[in-house]
Amino acid sequence: MRDLGYSIKVTTPSGIGIGVLVWVAEEMIEHPPIWVMWAAIIIAALLLAWSAWWIADAVFKRMRWFGELPDELPGEVVQSDSWLADAIWRIHLRKWQSHANAQADFADQDDAFWERLSDTFHEKVRQYLFDGKIPVWGKPKNSTLWKPIPKEFWENHAPDWFNFVQKEPSDLNTLVFGFGDSEGEYRALRTNKASVEALCRAENI
């Protein structure tokens, strides 16, 4: 039997793995005990797997060092695609319904309906906004661009109740609530429908 140290020419994990495989082949020819064969195969496989992982990790590190890969891969971008007014009706009515159709039913509702709607609007929805569970975009004063509204904004602001019940969805704007800055208000509030639906499923509404 050839000396094992002679068979292994390199000291890297992959070299050791290859050397062990060569040794196994020689042993199988001369003395083929089953337990030795399987033990050696398992050791060689582990060493080769470790070597492959080490090489892959080194390649990815090099790609990041030289700018070929970003530190973090971008995720899915959430965009505004629905009016916030329609989302509020989804939360209150437990289904999607156009703002116009919901407004048409106002005359047939009693005081209890208005109380529940007011609670949804002023408490539940505003809390969702402050918690960041509903993403919102709006147009700042003197701007035609929709911009994301940070969740901290809602601590001292709220959607306009009277615009919600009396006007079109595109007219929904923010109002100062407490000690907010009136110069930082937004109009034409929008949101993301998939985010709202995911929230409703999580909250069972």
Side-chain angles (χ1 to χ4, degrees), residues 165-187:
V165 297
Q166 295 177 357
K167 297 185 178 181
E168 296 297 318
S170 58
D171 295 322
L172 185 59
N173 63 292
T174 63
L175 289 177
V176 176
F177 190 93
F179 300 97
D181 180 11
S182 61
E183 293 298 321
E185 294 180 8
Y186 296 84
R187 67 185 192 281

Side-chain angles (χ1 to χ4, degrees), residues 85-86 89 93 95-109 113 164-165 167-169:
D86 291 336
W89 282 115
L93 299 176
K95 64 179 181 180
W96 288 100
Q97 182 171 331
S98 70
H99 189 70
N101 290 340
Q103 283 181 322
D105 296 335
F106 282 171
D108 300 328
Q109 303 300 332
F113 169 84
F164 172 70
V165 297
K167 297 185 178 181
E168 296 297 318

Side-chain angles (χ1 to χ4, degrees), residues 185-196:
E185 294 180 8
Y186 296 84
R187 67 185 192 281
L189 303 181
R190 293 178 64 80
T191 186
N192 177 263
K193 188 173 183 178
S195 298
V196 174

